[in-house]
Amino acid sequence: MNVLGYRYVTVSEHSMEMADFLENKLGIPNRRKETDDHYGGVFAAGASQLEFWRKSDCMLESVMLQLIVDDADEFAEFASARGVKLDGPMFEQGEKIYALTAPDGMPLTIHSVDE
């Protein structure tokens, strides 16, 4: 049961400013460039990354933490045994995902590669 990395994801009207700041003021490479339907940035360090996406009709304003783990089922079972309510698993983009809400109200998801 290991955490391999984290993804901090922000969807807001200010995400492009953050992406520009990280890329052009701090010199961190942006792994994701603008497309017609997605504007934002992905800034990776090892197995962790910061993601900033512009708010749109299909992407509502939010902040989310994603845990990238070696075994999502094992993490979900561990959390559930301690009273945490989880939804899932769901499968998206080759990942197995469980969703929950942290005590401060932040959406949190647990991801592992679906084999």
Side-chain angles (χ1 to χ4, degrees):
M1 203 168 93
N2 296 303
V3 175
L4 306 175
Y6 303 93
R7 293 182 197 141
Y8 175 84
V9 182
T10 298
V11 178
S12 81
E13 293 187 16
H14 304 288
S15 289
M16 292 310 299
E17 295 165 10
M18 283 299 296
D20 179 66
F21 173 76
L22 291 170
E23 183 175 14
N24 297 310
K25 303 294 185 193
L26 298 182
I28 302 171
N30 184 353
R31 292 182 30 197
R32 176 78 170 183
K33 297 296 181 184
E34 294 181 14
T35 64
D36 288 340
D37 54 352
H38 287 77
Y39 297 92
V42 176
F43 302 90
S48 298
Q49 60 191 35
L50 303 171
E51 295 186 21
F52 297 92
W53 302 106
R54 187 176 75 179
K55 178 182 159 185
S56 67
D57 290 339
C58 65
M59 295 182 76
L60 302 178
E61 192 163 341
S62 66
V63 174
M64 174 187 288
L65 179 62
Q66 300 176 345
L67 303 180
I68 312 307
V69 302
D70 59 349
D71 187 332
D73 291 327
E74 188 176 2
F75 267 82
E77 185 178 312
F78 181 87
S80 182
R82 283 152 183 79
V84 176
K85 183 187 176 314
L86 297 108
D87 294 317
M90 298 159 270
F91 300 90
E92 188 174 313
Q93 297 180 347
E95 295 179 332
K96 181 181 283 188
I97 304 168
Y98 288 88
L100 60 125
T101 302
D104 67 354
M106 178 184 280
L108 190 146
T109 53
I110 300 168
H111 299 242
S112 66
V113 175
D114 183 37
E115 296 181 26

